[in-house]
Amino acid sequence: MNRSHNEVAVITGGSAGLGLALAETLLDRSWNVVTDARDADRLHAALPDRPQVTSLAGDVRDPDHQDAIAAAVARHGRLDLLVHNASDLGPMLPLAEVAEGDFSRVLETNLLAPLSLTQRLLPYLIASRGTLVGISSDAAVEHYSTWGTYAASKAALDHLVLTLGEENGIRAYAVDPGDMRTAMHQAAFPGEDISDRPLPESVVSHLLALLSGDEPSGRYRATDLAPVGAVR
């Protein structure tokens, strides 16, 4: 991943967690990064203005916001990596108790927005022979009580990403990063101590192994990939 000809990445949800850790690592490796988050103050505090960064505050579900991301990519004239990282955990309830509106909101964020944004950016990704990544979860393939809403969206995202790869001749990966010490994971386990979970920064080197290697498109667990180098 140490390259020198102005690679461009779009990473949704870049103000914290894995999105921020990946963005910082790519910036250290001379990539240009376009990223977003709903909280403008938090986003710009996490990634202060610098020439390599385009930070766009907004909701990934918003078509106008997606257009702004696409416009930023157009200014670069290429796209080498698109990472769908932004997620909505949704209600931690048995599926029988989940309101239709809550289920729809999670699907809009975790599935429909990635599809719509990919459609906007696909010509650049194809032209650069880039890579499409969906950040998944073990919940996409396991069946955990009260995780059904989130799990259904991630299972569908896996299928979406890998099908887009097959249809368009680009590398596509659904990546399960494993448990991480993040705000979302804490929200899933309110009141519990999650300090034993690894920090997102520790996952990035495993993700880079996939991005810099020659593994075929498919679904991968980050912990099954040998890490590349050291990360911040």
Side-chain angles (χ1 to χ4, degrees):
M1 297 294 289
N2 288 307
R3 302 176 184 175
S4 59
H5 49 278
N6 300 316
E7 281 85 357
V8 178
V10 169
I11 304 169
T12 62
S15 65
L18 182 58
L20 176 58
L22 179 58
E24 289 180 328
T25 300
L26 292 182
L27 288 167
D28 286 346
R29 294 166 183 248
S30 299
W31 281 60
N32 297 288
V33 173
V34 179
T35 190
D36 75 337
R38 285 175 291 184
D39 188 322
D41 292 339
R42 186 176 182 181
L43 177 61
H44 293 297
L47 290 170
D49 290 337
R50 54 181 134 165
Q52 289 172 261
V53 181
T54 303
S55 298
L56 300 169
D59 190 326
V60 73
R61 299 174 297 177
D62 181 358
D64 289 338
H65 179 61
Q66 293 179 15
D67 286 343
I69 294 173
V73 171
R75 288 193 291 273
H76 286 290
R78 65 181 295 155
L79 180 61
D80 302 274
L81 175 65
L82 171 56
V83 181
H84 293 300
N85 171 71
S87 290
D88 186 337
L89 179 62
M92 299 299 291
L93 293 169
L95 283 172
E97 300 175 16
V98 176
E100 181 178 341
D102 289 335
F103 196 90
S104 295
R105 186 193 74 242
V106 172
L107 288 182
E108 287 172 3
T109 301
N110 298 357
L111 181 65
L112 300 182
L115 173 60
S116 182
L117 182 58
T118 303
Q119 289 171 334
R120 284 169 165 78
L121 301 179
L122 199 53
Y124 296 100
L125 207 56
I126 293 171
S128 297
R129 297 184 178 180
T131 302
L132 176 64
V133 176
I135 300 302
S136 186
S137 167
D138 64 334
V141 294
E142 302 292 344
H143 304 99
Y144 302 127
S145 179
T146 74
W147 282 81
T149 301
Y150 180 77
S153 72
K154 288 299 182 178
L157 179 64
D158 287 0
H159 193 85
L160 177 80
V161 165
L162 298 180
T163 301
L164 282 164
E166 178 67 23
E167 290 174 341
N168 295 284
I170 57 175
R171 291 201 308 168
Y173 300 120
V175 181
D176 171 12
D179 291 349
M180 295 180 292
R181 202 183 316 167
T182 63
M184 177 177 285
H185 197 76
Q186 184 66 78
F189 298 95
E192 293 189 27
D193 180 5
I194 65 167
S195 61
D196 61 328
R197 275 68 160 184
L199 289 168
E201 289 80 359
S202 69
V203 176
V204 172
S205 59
H206 298 273
L207 183 54
L208 292 184
L210 186 62
L211 298 178
S212 61
D214 57 4
E215 297 289 348
S217 294
R219 190 179 194 280
Y220 293 85
R221 293 191 307 173
T223 53
D224 291 338
L225 303 163
V228 166
V231 296
R232 290 168 48 148

